[in-house]
Amino acid sequence: ADVIAVTGSASGIGAAVVKALRADGHEVVGVDLRDAEVCADLSTPDGRRAAVDGVLGVAPVLDGLVVCAGLGPHVPDPMQIVEVNYRGAVEVLDGLFPALRGAAVAVSSSASTMVKWADNPIARGEEAAALAEAGEYAGHLAYSWSKNALTVAVRQRVSQWGAAGVRLNTVAPGAVDTPLLQAGLASRFGDAIRNYQAPIPRRGRPEEIASLIRYLLGPDAGYIHGAQLMIDGGSDALLRPTEF
Ligand code: NAD
């Protein structure tokens, strides 16, 4: 059995990943604010260190890692979204890299493609100033900037991780039925989410994302490295047929 750490393990996609991995007989070390083996707040540098130290305390060697913890665009403080979705993911990846053999998966989003890296204020460390001026769409901008930065951070690590024999990929879900999406539906942007239809005319299920993550962690995905796999019911191809 493998030992696999999963952040955001208490809810939604992360909880579905934990369930799938445990069903395969793996040992999972969950990290979340509560209801987890390691309780830590990934929105602060101290919390991120506590998360890494907590995982290493239970599992000094890891066969796999899934960074899934995240906040949706509806969260009132947009900097919190950047802290959890971007820094909370990248610092856990980097902090646990020395302990990893096997593979890691970061849960990005189809929103990662909605901004170009050259236009992403996170690239220049200017997101706080940019968000202060962003008005009512600050949460959405913070979300797509943080997911764009996460996907770029993963792609920038292919040499180092490849040399160490550790595969690293992102999955980019579209709308998936989880508490995060339900909170979005209940916000003032709910109608926009409700009215949007993917080519496969339903929302994704957490188990479907978990199934892809399980595959990416496993030996059948041995040559997949540095990839971002869209799992969005066809939305990306619909919106950007000539860009890939
Ligand atoms: P969810 O709210 O059900 O689960 C997110 C988990 O992250 C929760 O258990 C929460 O406690 C944890 N978390 C949040 N802030 C944290 C913090 N500061 N420290 C530690 N843990 C924290 O949401 P979900 O939909 O399952 O989202 C999982 C991931 O999938 C997120 O990164 C999200 O951005 C991404 N995603 C979701 C969708 C979707 O439509 N649901 C689409 C694309 C990407």
Side-chain angles (χ1 to χ4, degrees):
D2 288 347
V3 182
I4 300 167
V6 179
T7 75
S9 57
S11 175
I13 295 169
V17 168
V18 171
K19 197 172 167 199
L21 294 175
R22 289 205 172 124
D24 286 344
H26 300 310
E27 185 186 324
V28 177
V29 183
V31 179
D32 209 304
L33 289 168
R34 58 192 75 83
D35 301 327
E37 283 69 34
V38 175
C39 292
D41 180 354
L42 296 171
S43 72
T44 69
D46 282 352
R48 297 190 276 266
R49 251 187 312 272
V52 168
D53 291 346
V55 170
L56 294 175
V58 193
V61 176
L62 283 172
D63 301 290
L65 169 64
V66 181
V67 291
C68 186
L71 296 172
H74 61 278
V75 167
D77 175 4
M79 274 306 288
Q80 191 81 357
I81 299 173
V82 177
E83 288 297 329
V84 178
N85 294 11
Y86 171 54
R87 298 204 172 84
V90 172
E91 289 178 24
V92 169
L93 287 170
D94 287 345
L96 292 177
F97 171 63
L100 261 172
R101 52 184 193 202
V105 176
V107 180
S108 186
S109 167
S110 55
S112 64
T113 64
M114 288 171 191
V115 60
K116 296 260 176 284
W117 179 240
D119 302 323
N120 189 340
I122 294 177
R124 300 179 297 278
E126 291 169 2
E127 70 274 12
L131 287 171
E133 293 174 1
E136 66 167 327
Y137 292 103
H140 290 266
L141 291 172
Y143 190 81
S144 50
W145 295 347
S146 66
K147 293 299 190 178
N148 176 262
L150 172 58
T151 297
V152 169
V154 162
R155 296 169 66 83
Q156 287 172 332
R157 281 162 175 72
V158 282
S159 291
Q160 191 195 7
W161 286 55
V166 186
R167 293 182 302 101
L168 174 62
N169 296 288
T170 59
V171 297
V176 183
D177 257 321
T178 68
L180 182 153
L181 190 83
Q182 293 304 323
L185 285 167
S187 76
R188 65 205 153 91
F189 301 105
D191 280 339
I193 303 172
R194 243 182 307 276
N195 296 337
Y196 179 76
Q197 264 218 355
I200 292 177
R202 64 170 174 82
R203 300 205 184 97
R205 293 188 274 270
E207 297 73 27
E208 292 173 316
I209 316 302
S211 162
L212 177 59
I213 292 171
R214 171 180 177 268
Y215 166 73
L216 286 172
L217 289 175
D220 288 346
Y223 202 54
I224 305 183
H225 181 47
Q228 168 146 289
L229 299 188
M230 289 284 170
I231 175 159
D232 66 352
S235 295
D236 181 60
L238 178 71
L239 295 172
R240 312 185 310 146
T242 61
E243 279 175 65
F244 49 86

